[in-house]
Amino acid sequence: MDLSKGWVNTMLKGSSPLIFERSIEDRFAYSLPDLEVEKADISTIIDDKFVRKTKAELPEISELDLMRHYTELSNKNYGVDSGFYPLGSCTMKYNPKINEKVARMPGFALSHPLQSDKTIQGSLEIVYDMQEHLKEITGMDEITLQPAAGAQGEWTALMMIKAFHEDNGDFNRTKVIVPDSAHGTNPASAVVAGFEAVTVKSNDKGLVDIEHLKSLVGDDTAAIMLTNPNTLGLFEEDILEMRDIVHEAGGKLYYDGANLNAIMAKVRPGDMGFDAVHLNLHKTFTGPHGGGGPGSGPIGVKSELAKYLPKPIVVKNEDDSYKVEHDVPKSIGRVKPFFGNFGIFLRAYTYIRTMGPDGLKEVSEIAVLNANYMMRRLEGTFELPYKQHCKHEFVISGSRQKKMGVRTLDMAKRLLDFGYHPPTIYFPLNVEECMMIEPTETESKETLDGFVDTLIGISKEAEEDPDIVLEAPHTTVVGRLDETQAARKPVLRFQRDDIVEEK
Ligand SMILES: *Cc1c(COP(=O)(O)O)cnc(C)c1O
Protein backbone atom coordinates (compact mmCIF):
# COMPACT_ATOMS: atom_id res chain seq x y z
CA MET A 1 0.00 0.00 0.00
CA ASP A 2 1.29 3.42 -0.94
CA LEU A 3 1.89 5.64 2.05
CA SER A 4 3.67 8.43 0.21
CA LYS A 5 0.49 10.44 -0.29
CA GLY A 6 -2.10 11.76 2.11
CA TRP A 7 -2.36 14.29 4.85
CA VAL A 8 -0.11 12.56 7.36
CA ASN A 9 2.97 13.28 5.28
CA THR A 10 2.18 16.95 5.10
CA MET A 11 2.34 17.03 8.88
CA LEU A 12 5.69 17.99 10.21
CA LYS A 13 7.88 15.22 11.47
CA GLY A 14 9.17 16.41 14.80
CA SER A 15 7.96 19.51 16.46
CA SER A 16 8.38 23.01 15.07
CA PRO A 17 8.73 26.03 17.34
CA LEU A 18 5.65 27.36 19.04
CA ILE A 19 4.46 30.86 18.24
CA PHE A 20 5.74 31.94 21.69
CA GLU A 21 9.18 30.58 20.90
CA ARG A 22 9.28 32.55 17.68
CA SER A 23 8.55 35.80 19.47
CA ILE A 24 11.06 38.66 19.04
CA GLU A 25 10.57 41.76 21.18
CA ASP A 26 8.82 44.68 19.45
CA ARG A 27 8.08 42.79 16.27
CA PHE A 28 4.47 43.10 15.17
CA ALA A 29 2.07 41.67 12.61
CA TYR A 30 0.14 44.80 11.73
CA SER A 31 0.84 48.24 10.38
CA LEU A 32 -1.40 51.21 10.97
CA PRO A 33 -0.97 54.77 9.62
CA ASP A 34 0.46 57.37 12.03
CA LEU A 35 -2.10 59.00 14.31
CA GLU A 36 -3.51 62.25 12.98
CA VAL A 37 -4.77 63.23 16.41
CA GLU A 38 -3.13 63.43 19.79
CA LYS A 39 -2.81 60.08 21.58
CA ALA A 40 -5.47 59.79 24.28
CA ASP A 41 -4.37 59.70 27.88
CA ILE A 42 -5.49 56.25 29.02
CA SER A 43 -5.88 57.38 32.64
CA THR A 44 -8.73 59.68 31.62
CA ILE A 45 -10.63 56.72 30.17
CA ILE A 46 -9.86 53.75 32.42
CA ASP A 47 -9.39 53.83 36.17
CA ASP A 48 -5.70 53.41 36.95
CA LYS A 49 -6.28 50.26 38.99
CA PHE A 50 -7.43 48.47 35.83
CA VAL A 51 -4.55 49.62 33.65
CA ARG A 52 -1.98 46.92 32.85
CA LYS A 53 1.41 47.62 34.44
CA THR A 54 3.39 45.02 32.54
CA LYS A 55 3.24 44.07 28.88
CA ALA A 56 0.80 41.28 28.04
CA GLU A 57 2.73 38.05 27.48
CA LEU A 58 1.70 37.69 23.87
CA PRO A 59 3.93 36.53 21.06
CA GLU A 60 5.50 39.36 19.06
CA ILE A 61 5.80 38.14 15.53
CA SER A 62 5.71 39.38 11.93
CA GLU A 63 2.61 39.05 9.75
CA LEU A 64 4.31 36.44 7.53
CA ASP A 65 5.41 34.30 10.47
CA LEU A 66 1.92 34.57 11.91
CA MET A 67 0.47 33.39 8.60
CA ARG A 68 2.87 30.43 8.55
CA HIS A 69 1.99 29.57 12.12
CA TYR A 70 -1.73 29.27 11.38
CA THR A 71 -1.21 27.54 8.05
CA GLU A 72 0.96 24.97 9.78
CA LEU A 73 -1.66 24.42 12.47
CA SER A 74 -4.39 24.00 9.87
CA ASN A 75 -2.26 21.37 8.10
CA LYS A 76 -2.01 19.42 11.32
CA ASN A 77 -5.76 19.33 11.67
CA TYR A 78 -7.81 16.55 10.13
CA GLY A 79 -11.29 17.42 8.96
CA VAL A 80 -13.90 16.51 6.38
CA ASP A 81 -12.10 18.83 3.97
CA SER A 82 -8.90 16.76 4.28
CA GLY A 83 -10.21 13.23 3.96
CA PHE A 84 -12.82 10.54 4.59
CA TYR A 85 -14.22 10.69 8.13
CA PRO A 86 -16.66 7.77 8.62
CA LEU A 87 -17.20 8.43 12.33
CA GLY A 88 -20.45 6.61 13.08
CA SER A 89 -23.20 8.60 14.82
CA CYS A 90 -21.38 11.85 14.06
CA THR A 91 -22.49 12.43 10.44
CA MET A 92 -19.23 13.98 9.25
CA LYS A 93 -20.58 15.14 5.90
CA TYR A 94 -19.31 17.84 3.60
CA ASN A 95 -20.03 21.39 4.76
CA PRO A 96 -21.00 23.26 1.57
CA LYS A 97 -19.00 26.44 1.16
CA ILE A 98 -22.06 28.46 0.10
CA ASN A 99 -23.16 28.14 3.75
CA GLU A 100 -20.02 29.99 4.83
CA LYS A 101 -20.68 32.74 2.35
CA VAL A 102 -24.16 33.36 3.72
CA ALA A 103 -22.99 33.22 7.34
CA ARG A 104 -20.38 35.87 6.57
CA MET A 105 -22.80 38.35 4.97
CA PRO A 106 -22.18 41.62 6.84
CA GLY A 107 -25.88 42.15 7.64
CA PHE A 108 -25.78 38.92 9.66
CA ALA A 109 -22.18 38.73 10.77
CA LEU A 110 -22.01 42.29 12.09
CA SER A 111 -25.38 42.36 13.82
CA HIS A 112 -25.62 42.18 17.59
CA PRO A 113 -28.27 40.33 19.60
CA LEU A 114 -28.81 43.37 21.85
CA GLN A 115 -29.94 45.51 18.90
CA SER A 116 -33.61 46.49 18.98
CA ASP A 117 -36.05 44.16 17.21
CA LYS A 118 -36.66 46.79 14.57
CA THR A 119 -33.05 46.76 13.41
CA ILE A 120 -32.65 42.95 13.16
CA GLN A 121 -35.84 42.04 11.30
CA GLY A 122 -33.88 40.00 8.72
CA SER A 123 -32.16 37.91 11.39
CA LEU A 124 -35.44 37.36 13.23
CA GLU A 125 -37.05 36.28 9.99
CA ILE A 126 -34.31 33.65 9.56
CA VAL A 127 -34.97 32.33 13.09
CA TYR A 128 -38.72 32.24 12.45
CA ASP A 129 -38.41 30.66 9.00
CA MET A 130 -35.94 28.12 10.28
CA GLN A 131 -38.45 27.10 12.95
CA GLU A 132 -41.11 26.70 10.25
CA HIS A 133 -38.83 24.49 8.14
CA LEU A 134 -37.94 22.32 11.12
CA LYS A 135 -41.63 21.94 12.01
CA GLU A 136 -42.19 20.64 8.51
CA ILE A 137 -39.21 18.26 8.66
CA THR A 138 -40.04 16.84 12.12
CA GLY A 139 -43.85 16.98 12.12
CA MET A 140 -43.80 18.88 15.41
CA ASP A 141 -45.97 21.86 16.45
CA GLU A 142 -43.34 24.21 17.89
CA ILE A 143 -39.55 24.55 17.72
CA THR A 144 -36.87 26.27 19.76
CA LEU A 145 -33.44 26.85 18.26
CA GLN A 146 -31.82 27.81 21.57
CA PRO A 147 -29.92 24.68 22.72
CA ALA A 148 -26.24 24.72 21.82
CA ALA A 149 -25.87 21.00 21.06
CA GLY A 150 -27.71 17.72 20.92
CA ALA A 151 -27.06 16.94 24.57
CA GLN A 152 -28.39 20.33 25.66
CA GLY A 153 -31.46 19.80 23.47
CA GLU A 154 -32.12 16.48 25.21
CA TRP A 155 -31.83 18.11 28.62
CA THR A 156 -34.03 21.06 27.58
CA ALA A 157 -36.81 18.76 26.37
CA LEU A 158 -36.59 16.63 29.50
CA MET A 159 -36.90 19.76 31.66
CA MET A 160 -40.03 20.65 29.67
CA ILE A 161 -41.43 17.14 30.14
CA LYS A 162 -40.73 17.46 33.86
CA ALA A 163 -42.53 20.84 33.95
CA PHE A 164 -45.49 19.23 32.16
CA HIS A 165 -45.80 16.37 34.66
CA GLU A 166 -45.39 18.69 37.64
CA ASP A 167 -47.97 21.10 36.23
CA ASN A 168 -50.40 18.16 36.28
CA GLY A 169 -49.57 17.55 39.92
CA ASP A 170 -47.76 14.38 38.90
CA PHE A 171 -44.57 14.40 41.00
CA ASN A 172 -44.11 10.65 40.97
CA ARG A 173 -42.65 10.41 37.45
CA THR A 174 -38.98 10.09 38.30
CA LYS A 175 -37.76 7.60 35.68
CA VAL A 176 -36.60 7.98 32.09
CA ILE A 177 -36.24 4.79 30.08
CA VAL A 178 -33.21 4.60 27.78
CA PRO A 179 -32.23 1.65 25.51
CA ASP A 180 -28.83 -0.01 26.10
CA SER A 181 -27.73 1.00 22.59
CA ALA A 182 -28.38 4.73 23.24
CA HIS A 183 -25.82 7.48 22.86
CA GLY A 184 -24.19 8.21 26.23
CA THR A 185 -25.73 11.67 26.28
CA ASN A 186 -29.23 10.19 26.76
CA PRO A 187 -28.80 8.71 30.25
CA ALA A 188 -26.53 11.65 31.15
CA SER A 189 -29.18 14.23 30.18
CA ALA A 190 -31.82 12.29 32.10
CA VAL A 191 -29.69 12.36 35.25
CA VAL A 192 -28.75 16.05 34.89
CA ALA A 193 -32.48 16.83 34.49
CA GLY A 194 -33.07 15.13 37.86
CA PHE A 195 -34.43 11.80 36.65
CA GLU A 196 -33.26 8.26 37.19
CA ALA A 197 -32.15 6.62 33.91
CA VAL A 198 -33.49 3.08 33.54
CA THR A 199 -32.03 0.81 30.86
CA VAL A 200 -34.23 -1.19 28.51
CA LYS A 201 -32.45 -4.09 26.77
CA SER A 202 -32.07 -4.71 23.04
CA ASN A 203 -33.25 -8.03 21.58
CA ASP A 204 -31.19 -10.27 19.29
CA LYS A 205 -32.23 -8.18 16.27
CA GLY A 206 -30.63 -5.09 17.83
CA LEU A 207 -34.02 -3.47 18.51
CA VAL A 208 -35.76 -2.48 21.76
CA ASP A 209 -37.01 -5.57 23.61
CA ILE A 210 -40.75 -4.86 23.85
CA GLU A 211 -41.43 -7.37 26.64
CA HIS A 212 -38.70 -5.82 28.74
CA LEU A 213 -40.10 -2.35 28.03
CA LYS A 214 -43.55 -3.46 29.20
CA SER A 215 -42.04 -4.65 32.48
CA LEU A 216 -40.39 -1.26 33.07
CA VAL A 217 -43.18 1.24 32.40
CA GLY A 218 -45.51 2.38 35.13
CA ASP A 219 -46.84 5.44 36.92
CA ASP A 220 -43.25 6.48 37.69
CA THR A 221 -42.32 6.70 33.97
CA ALA A 222 -41.65 10.28 32.89
CA ALA A 223 -40.49 9.44 29.37
CA ILE A 224 -38.69 7.07 27.05
CA MET A 225 -35.80 8.35 24.92
CA LEU A 226 -35.53 6.54 21.60
CA THR A 227 -32.88 6.94 18.95
CA ASN A 228 -34.20 6.05 15.53
CA PRO A 229 -32.58 4.73 13.44
CA ASN A 230 -30.81 3.45 16.55
CA THR A 231 -27.04 3.62 16.99
CA LEU A 232 -26.69 0.23 15.28
CA GLY A 233 -28.12 1.94 12.20
CA LEU A 234 -31.39 -0.02 12.47
CA PHE A 235 -34.90 1.36 12.17
CA GLU A 236 -36.96 0.44 15.21
CA GLU A 237 -39.79 -1.77 13.89
CA ASP A 238 -42.16 -1.56 16.84
CA ILE A 239 -42.39 2.19 17.28
CA LEU A 240 -46.18 2.38 17.24
CA GLU A 241 -46.46 -0.35 19.84
CA MET A 242 -43.87 1.40 22.01
CA ARG A 243 -45.78 4.66 21.63
CA ASP A 244 -48.96 3.01 22.91
CA ILE A 245 -47.21 1.28 25.81
CA VAL A 246 -45.56 4.50 27.03
CA HIS A 247 -48.50 6.84 26.38
CA GLU A 248 -50.93 4.50 28.10
CA ALA A 249 -48.69 4.57 31.15
CA GLY A 250 -48.81 8.40 31.07
CA GLY A 251 -45.18 8.89 29.90
CA LYS A 252 -43.87 11.02 27.05
CA LEU A 253 -41.91 9.87 23.99
CA TYR A 254 -38.65 11.58 23.21
CA TYR A 255 -36.97 11.12 19.82
CA ASP A 256 -33.19 11.46 19.61
CA GLY A 257 -32.99 12.88 16.10
CA ALA A 258 -29.28 13.80 16.18
CA ASN A 259 -28.86 11.78 12.99
CA LEU A 260 -31.80 12.46 10.72
CA ASN A 261 -29.77 11.48 7.69
CA ALA A 262 -31.74 8.33 6.92
CA ILE A 263 -35.27 9.59 7.38
CA MET A 264 -35.41 13.20 6.20
CA ALA A 265 -38.42 13.79 3.96
CA LYS A 266 -39.31 10.10 4.40
CA VAL A 267 -40.91 9.80 7.85
CA ARG A 268 -41.43 12.29 10.67
CA PRO A 269 -41.08 11.78 14.43
CA GLY A 270 -44.24 13.86 14.94
CA ASP A 271 -46.27 11.48 12.76
CA MET A 272 -44.91 8.47 14.65
CA GLY A 273 -46.42 9.85 17.86
CA PHE A 274 -43.36 11.37 19.52
CA ASP A 275 -43.88 14.32 21.86
CA ALA A 276 -40.41 15.86 21.58
CA VAL A 277 -37.38 15.56 19.33
CA HIS A 278 -33.96 17.14 19.04
CA LEU A 279 -31.99 17.65 15.85
CA ASN A 280 -28.29 18.31 15.44
CA LEU A 281 -27.87 21.08 12.89
CA HIS A 282 -24.14 20.36 13.09
CA LYS A 283 -24.68 16.80 11.86
CA THR A 284 -27.55 16.31 9.45
CA PHE A 285 -27.78 19.96 8.39
CA THR A 286 -24.10 20.50 7.48
CA GLY A 287 -22.92 22.72 10.33
CA PRO A 288 -19.17 22.18 10.65
CA HIS A 289 -18.26 20.27 13.82
CA GLY A 290 -15.56 18.24 15.49
CA GLY A 291 -13.32 21.21 16.20
CA GLY A 292 -14.82 23.07 13.24
CA GLY A 293 -17.41 25.15 15.00
CA PRO A 294 -20.11 25.40 17.63
CA GLY A 295 -23.12 23.11 17.66
CA SER A 296 -26.83 23.68 17.53
CA GLY A 297 -29.44 21.30 18.91
CA PRO A 298 -32.95 22.65 18.23
CA ILE A 299 -35.87 20.78 19.74
CA GLY A 300 -39.39 20.33 18.45
CA VAL A 301 -42.39 19.58 20.64
CA LYS A 302 -46.09 18.84 20.34
CA SER A 303 -48.47 21.65 21.33
CA GLU A 304 -49.09 20.14 24.78
CA LEU A 305 -45.48 20.90 25.72
CA ALA A 306 -45.13 24.18 23.80
CA LYS A 307 -45.88 26.52 26.67
CA TYR A 308 -42.73 25.33 28.48
CA LEU A 309 -40.35 26.22 25.63
CA PRO A 310 -37.26 28.25 26.56
CA LYS A 311 -37.71 32.00 26.24
CA PRO A 312 -37.52 34.44 24.62
CA ILE A 313 -39.32 33.23 21.51
CA VAL A 314 -39.48 34.88 18.09
CA VAL A 315 -43.05 35.56 16.98
CA LYS A 316 -44.57 36.98 13.82
CA ASN A 317 -46.79 40.04 14.20
CA GLU A 318 -49.99 40.57 12.24
CA ASP A 319 -48.24 43.03 9.94
CA ASP A 320 -45.65 40.31 9.08
CA SER A 321 -42.90 41.93 11.15
CA TYR A 322 -41.09 39.91 13.83
CA LYS A 323 -40.81 40.39 17.56
CA VAL A 324 -38.81 38.86 20.40
CA GLU A 325 -41.35 37.78 23.02
CA HIS A 326 -40.08 37.60 26.61
CA ASP A 327 -43.46 37.17 28.24
CA VAL A 328 -43.79 33.36 28.31
CA PRO A 329 -45.08 32.62 31.82
CA LYS A 330 -44.68 28.82 31.83
CA SER A 331 -41.31 28.79 30.09
CA ILE A 332 -38.53 26.75 31.71
CA GLY A 333 -36.41 29.89 31.16
CA ARG A 334 -33.34 30.57 29.09
CA VAL A 335 -31.03 27.68 28.26
CA LYS A 336 -28.53 29.69 26.18
CA PRO A 337 -27.86 33.43 25.86
CA PHE A 338 -29.93 35.18 23.20
CA PHE A 339 -31.19 32.91 20.42
CA GLY A 340 -28.57 30.14 20.39
CA ASN A 341 -25.76 29.74 17.88
CA PHE A 342 -27.14 31.96 15.15
CA GLY A 343 -24.21 31.42 12.76
CA ILE A 344 -25.08 27.72 12.62
CA PHE A 345 -28.75 28.47 11.85
CA LEU A 346 -27.61 30.48 8.85
CA ARG A 347 -25.55 27.57 7.55
CA ALA A 348 -28.32 25.03 8.15
CA TYR A 349 -30.92 27.39 6.69
CA THR A 350 -28.84 27.82 3.55
CA TYR A 351 -28.48 24.05 3.30
CA ILE A 352 -32.22 23.40 3.67
CA ARG A 353 -33.06 26.10 1.10
CA THR A 354 -30.45 24.94 -1.42
CA MET A 355 -31.54 21.28 -1.14
CA GLY A 356 -35.32 21.77 -1.03
CA PRO A 357 -37.67 18.93 -0.04
CA ASP A 358 -36.69 16.70 -2.96
CA GLY A 359 -32.99 17.27 -2.30
CA LEU A 360 -33.35 16.33 1.38
CA LYS A 361 -35.17 13.15 0.39
CA GLU A 362 -32.33 12.28 -1.97
CA VAL A 363 -29.84 12.87 0.86
CA SER A 364 -31.62 10.22 2.96
CA GLU A 365 -31.71 7.78 0.06
CA ILE A 366 -28.05 8.11 -0.88
CA ALA A 367 -26.86 8.06 2.74
CA VAL A 368 -28.70 4.74 3.22
CA LEU A 369 -27.47 3.34 -0.09
CA ASN A 370 -23.85 4.23 0.69
CA ALA A 371 -23.99 2.60 4.12
CA ASN A 372 -25.54 -0.61 2.76
CA TYR A 373 -23.01 -0.76 -0.07
CA MET A 374 -20.10 -0.61 2.36
CA MET A 375 -21.71 -3.03 4.79
CA ARG A 376 -22.23 -5.68 2.11
CA ARG A 377 -18.68 -5.28 0.81
CA LEU A 378 -17.24 -5.71 4.32
CA GLU A 379 -19.40 -8.58 5.58
CA GLY A 380 -17.21 -11.31 4.05
CA THR A 381 -14.18 -10.13 6.00
CA PHE A 382 -15.74 -8.85 9.23
CA GLU A 383 -18.39 -10.31 11.48
CA LEU A 384 -21.72 -8.59 10.82
CA PRO A 385 -23.72 -8.84 14.06
CA TYR A 386 -27.06 -7.73 12.55
CA LYS A 387 -27.78 -9.04 9.08
CA GLN A 388 -30.74 -6.89 8.02
CA HIS A 389 -30.30 -3.82 5.81
CA CYS A 390 -29.08 -0.79 7.67
CA LYS A 391 -30.03 2.88 7.50
CA HIS A 392 -27.42 5.67 7.46
CA GLU A 393 -24.78 3.68 9.39
CA PHE A 394 -23.89 0.13 10.37
CA VAL A 395 -21.75 -1.80 12.82
CA ILE A 396 -19.27 -4.56 12.16
CA SER A 397 -17.37 -6.53 14.77
CA GLY A 398 -13.64 -7.20 14.90
CA SER A 399 -14.25 -10.49 16.74
CA ARG A 400 -12.66 -12.65 13.96
CA GLN A 401 -9.54 -10.49 13.93
CA LYS A 402 -9.41 -10.59 17.74
CA LYS A 403 -8.86 -14.35 17.49
CA MET A 404 -5.70 -13.57 15.48
CA GLY A 405 -4.51 -11.27 18.27
CA VAL A 406 -5.42 -7.98 16.61
CA ARG A 407 -8.11 -5.83 18.16
CA THR A 408 -10.42 -3.16 16.76
CA LEU A 409 -8.31 -0.45 18.41
CA ASP A 410 -5.23 -1.71 16.52
CA MET A 411 -7.06 -1.66 13.18
CA ALA A 412 -8.37 1.85 13.90
CA LYS A 413 -4.80 3.01 14.57
CA ARG A 414 -3.61 1.34 11.37
CA LEU A 415 -6.22 3.28 9.36
CA LEU A 416 -4.39 6.47 10.33
CA ASP A 417 -1.38 5.29 8.31
CA PHE A 418 -3.54 5.36 5.19
CA GLY A 419 -4.87 8.87 5.82
CA TYR A 420 -8.34 7.93 7.06
CA HIS A 421 -10.11 9.09 10.16
CA PRO A 422 -11.10 5.84 11.91
CA PRO A 423 -14.75 4.98 12.46
CA THR A 424 -16.34 5.12 15.92
CA ILE A 425 -15.05 2.13 17.90
CA TYR A 426 -16.26 0.18 20.94
CA PHE A 427 -19.66 1.88 20.66
CA PRO A 428 -22.46 0.92 20.94
CA LEU A 429 -21.49 -1.09 24.00
CA ASN A 430 -23.65 -4.11 23.16
CA VAL A 431 -21.44 -5.26 20.24
CA GLU A 432 -18.05 -6.91 20.86
CA GLU A 433 -15.02 -5.18 19.24
CA CYS A 434 -17.44 -2.84 17.54
CA MET A 435 -16.73 -0.54 14.59
CA MET A 436 -19.51 1.85 13.68
CA ILE A 437 -19.26 3.22 10.17
CA GLU A 438 -21.23 6.15 8.71
CA PRO A 439 -20.17 7.16 5.20
CA THR A 440 -22.81 9.91 4.62
CA GLU A 441 -24.26 10.79 1.23
CA THR A 442 -21.52 13.23 0.30
CA GLU A 443 -18.79 10.66 -0.53
CA SER A 444 -18.11 9.19 -3.94
CA LYS A 445 -18.14 5.47 -4.73
CA GLU A 446 -14.37 5.66 -5.30
CA THR A 447 -13.85 6.96 -1.76
CA LEU A 448 -16.09 4.26 -0.27
CA ASP A 449 -14.24 1.57 -2.24
CA GLY A 450 -10.86 2.97 -1.21
CA PHE A 451 -11.78 2.76 2.45
CA VAL A 452 -13.29 -0.72 2.18
CA ASP A 453 -10.22 -2.02 0.30
CA THR A 454 -7.95 -0.55 2.98
CA LEU A 455 -9.93 -2.12 5.82
CA ILE A 456 -9.91 -5.51 4.08
CA GLY A 457 -6.15 -5.04 3.53
CA ILE A 458 -5.65 -4.38 7.24
CA SER A 459 -7.56 -7.54 8.11
CA LYS A 460 -5.19 -9.42 5.79
CA GLU A 461 -2.22 -7.86 7.56
CA ALA A 462 -3.72 -9.02 10.87
CA GLU A 463 -3.50 -12.55 9.50
CA GLU A 464 -0.09 -12.39 7.82
CA ASP A 465 1.91 -9.70 9.60
CA PRO A 466 0.06 -8.73 12.79
CA ASP A 467 2.95 -6.68 14.21
CA ILE A 468 2.51 -3.98 11.60
CA VAL A 469 -1.07 -3.50 12.83
CA LEU A 470 -0.23 -3.89 16.51
CA GLU A 471 2.46 -1.19 16.31
CA ALA A 472 0.47 1.26 14.18
CA PRO A 473 0.35 4.15 13.51
CA HIS A 474 3.73 4.43 11.78
CA THR A 475 3.40 7.64 9.78
CA THR A 476 1.94 10.11 12.26
CA VAL A 477 3.91 12.73 14.22
CA VAL A 478 3.39 10.78 17.41
CA GLY A 479 2.76 7.06 17.71
CA ARG A 480 0.30 5.45 20.05
CA LEU A 481 -0.64 7.65 22.94
CA ASP A 482 -1.73 6.56 26.37
CA GLU A 483 -5.28 7.80 25.97
CA THR A 484 -6.27 6.88 29.51
CA GLN A 485 -3.46 8.95 30.99
CA ALA A 486 -4.27 11.78 28.61
CA ALA A 487 -7.78 11.89 30.07
CA ARG A 488 -6.84 11.21 33.70
CA LYS A 489 -3.71 13.37 33.91
CA PRO A 490 -4.08 15.97 31.18
CA VAL A 491 -1.06 18.22 30.69
CA LEU A 492 -2.68 21.44 29.60
CA ARG A 493 0.28 23.80 29.77
CA PHE A 494 3.19 23.84 27.38
CA GLN A 495 6.43 23.12 29.23
CA ARG A 496 9.43 22.95 26.98
CA ASP A 497 12.36 22.99 29.38
CA ASP A 498 14.26 25.82 27.74
CA ILE A 499 11.23 28.12 27.90
CA VAL A 500 10.75 27.39 31.57
CA GLU A 501 14.46 28.11 32.16
CA GLU A 502 14.35 31.49 30.47
CA LYS A 503 11.74 32.79 32.91
C1 LIG B 1 -24.18 13.26 18.49
C2 LIG B 1 -25.30 12.61 19.17
C3 LIG B 1 -25.86 13.17 20.33
C4 LIG B 1 -25.26 14.35 21.07
O1 LIG B 1 -25.12 15.51 20.31
P1 LIG B 1 -24.04 16.62 20.74
O2 LIG B 1 -24.29 17.75 19.82
O3 LIG B 1 -22.70 15.98 20.57
O4 LIG B 1 -24.31 16.97 22.17
C5 LIG B 1 -26.96 12.54 20.87
N1 LIG B 1 -27.47 11.43 20.33
C6 LIG B 1 -26.96 10.87 19.22
C7 LIG B 1 -27.60 9.63 18.65
C8 LIG B 1 -25.85 11.43 18.60
O5 LIG B 1 -25.34 10.86 17.51
Side-chain angles (χ1 to χ4, degrees):
M1 289 181 232
D2 181 12
L3 290 180
S4 64
K5 292 191 213 84
W7 69 283
V8 275
N9 270 16
T10 69
M11 292 172 73
L12 288 168
K13 302 281 157 66
S15 93
S16 46
L18 293 186
I19 191 168
F20 286 92
E21 296 174 288
R22 288 179 179 168
S23 181
I24 304 280
E25 206 173 343
D26 290 335
R27 199 164 276 182
F28 43 88
Y30 62 90
S31 51
L32 294 174
D34 290 339
L35 279 181
E36 289 170 353
V37 293
E38 212 173 302
K39 196 170 175 189
D41 176 3
I42 192 96
S43 67
T44 63
I45 308 167
I46 300 173
D47 192 322
D48 189 56
K49 70 172 183 255
F50 297 121
V51 176
R52 179 182 281 287
K53 302 291 183 306
T54 52
K55 242 167 130 177
E57 285 183 56
L58 294 174
E60 298 176 276
I61 185 167
S62 74
E63 185 172 331
L64 175 58
D65 283 339
L66 184 68
M67 205 58 227
R68 287 184 180 150
H69 167 73
Y70 283 113
T71 305
E72 199 179 300
L73 286 185
S74 76
N75 285 338
K76 283 183 176 168
N77 193 18
Y78 188 92
V80 173
D81 287 352
S82 21
F84 189 43
Y85 207 137
L87 195 64
S89 201
C90 293
T91 315
M92 304 303 291
K93 58 164 83 173
Y94 177 60
N95 313 129
K97 298 305 166 245
I98 182 79
N99 297 357
E100 298 303 318
K101 195 156 180 149
V102 171
R104 282 164 175 70
M105 283 165 71
F108 295 128
L110 302 180
S111 65
H112 192 281
L114 287 178
Q115 279 176 237
S116 69
D117 295 2
K118 248 193 236 144
T119 62
I120 50 166
Q121 284 293 306
S123 299
L124 295 180
E125 184 175 351
I126 294 280
V127 171
Y128 187 87
D129 250 19
M130 186 69 186
Q131 292 172 178
E132 293 300 302
H133 289 316
L134 296 183
K135 280 186 205 172
E136 179 66 30
I137 289 169
T138 59
M140 290 290 170
D141 298 325
E142 294 296 337
I143 301 279
T144 175
L145 303 180
Q146 238 182 64
Q152 202 191 13
E154 293 167 21
W155 172 81
T156 303
L158 289 174
M159 292 304 284
M160 291 168 63
I161 289 172
K162 191 177 206 183
F164 169 85
H165 289 314
E166 290 181 356
D167 235 10
N168 291 337
D170 201 349
F171 292 91
N172 195 31
R173 298 195 178 270
T174 53
K175 292 184 179 161
V176 170
I177 300 171
V178 182
D180 58 4
S181 62
H183 195 279
T185 52
N186 287 190
S189 302
V191 170
V192 176
F195 293 106
E196 184 190 335
V198 180
T199 306
V200 57
K201 285 187 300 210
S202 303
N203 61 23
D204 54 11
K205 285 164 82 185
L207 307 173
V208 170
D209 184 329
I210 295 289
E211 292 309 314
H212 190 218
L213 176 65
K214 280 185 193 159
S215 74
L216 293 176
V217 294
D219 58 10
D220 57 357
T221 303
I224 181 171
M225 300 178 85
L226 265 186
T227 306
N228 187 51
N230 68 20
T231 59
L232 299 165
L234 306 175
F235 198 95
E236 291 287 348
E237 288 169 7
D238 303 314
I239 289 216
L240 300 181
E241 198 182 343
M242 286 190 250
R243 172 197 65 192
D244 295 342
I245 293 169
V246 175
H247 275 167
E248 271 159 32
K252 293 283 174 207
L253 276 97
Y254 181 84
Y255 193 101
D256 181 332
N259 319 108
L260 223 61
N261 235 28
I263 66 156
M264 256 191 308
K266 291 279 181 190
V267 286
R268 310 192 304 173
D271 299 337
M272 294 180 226
F274 284 84
D275 303 291
V277 56
H278 87 261
L279 308 174
N280 278 19
L281 298 188
H282 51 289
K283 288 180 181 169
T284 315
F285 298 96
T286 67
H289 65 301
S296 180
I299 58 175
V301 293
K302 288 282 173 64
S303 54
E304 226 180 15
L305 293 173
K307 54 177 176 287
Y308 309 106
L309 281 170
K311 62 181 180 182
I313 54 176
V314 175
V315 293
K316 195 171 186 172
N317 297 317
E318 270 176 15
D319 65 357
D320 283 349
S321 63
Y322 299 89
K323 171 173 120 175
V324 181
E325 180 62 82
H326 292 267
D327 185 20
V328 192
K330 294 257 174 185
S331 166
I332 60 161
R334 257 183 206 287
V335 300
K336 175 92 177 70
F338 306 113
F339 305 103
N341 285 326
F342 182 68
I344 299 299
F345 311 161
L346 289 169
R347 289 169 175 87
Y349 182 80
T350 307
Y351 177 67
I352 291 171
R353 295 301 299 266
T354 47
M355 299 307 285
D358 292 339
L360 292 181
K361 193 181 211 166
E362 213 180 328
V363 164
S364 300
E365 288 168 358
I366 299 177
V368 171
L369 184 65
N370 281 359
N372 279 283
Y373 174 70
M374 290 182 82
M375 182 174 89
R376 294 304 171 202
R377 276 211 60 202
L378 284 166
E379 75 176 321
T381 308
F382 292 87
E383 184 63 33
L384 185 65
Y386 304 104
K387 313 285 183 229
Q388 66 264 49
H389 292 323
C390 64
K391 289 287 177 273
H392 61 292
E393 66 191 5
F394 61 97
V395 294
I396 52 174
S397 163
S399 54
R400 286 182 206 165
Q401 288 74 14
K402 189 181 175 187
K403 293 200 186 91
M404 307 171 201
V406 168
R407 302 196 51 190
T408 286
L409 177 70
D410 304 315
M411 293 188 278
K413 295 291 183 198
R414 183 69 176 135
L415 277 168
L416 298 173
D417 285 336
F418 299 96
Y420 291 111
H421 193 291
T424 300
I425 57 172
Y426 298 105
F427 177 80
L429 305 173
N430 50 350
V431 173
E432 188 198 2
E433 295 293 319
C434 186
M435 260 191 239
M436 181 195 208
I437 301 176
E438 180 180 11
T440 85
E441 74 288 356
T442 58
E443 299 292 344
S444 68
K445 179 170 178 293
E446 290 72 26
T447 299
L448 305 185
D449 281 331
F451 181 82
V452 168
D453 291 341
T454 303
L455 208 49
I456 292 174
I458 291 172
S459 173
K460 208 159 182 209
E461 286 178 340
E463 226 176 310
E464 294 166 1
D465 186 9
D467 283 349
I468 199 163
V469 186
L470 293 170
E471 284 158 21
H474 303 276
T475 61
T476 50
V477 174
V478 289
R480 234 182 252 210
L481 300 168
D482 186 334
E483 283 154 14
T484 314
Q485 289 303 323
R488 305 261 154 83
K489 287 190 191 157
V491 179
L492 301 175
R493 270 188 77 164
F494 176 73
Q495 296 173 341
R496 186 172 286 167
D497 292 332
D498 50 10
I499 291 264
V500 175
E501 267 166 30
E502 265 175 34
K503 285 206 173 143

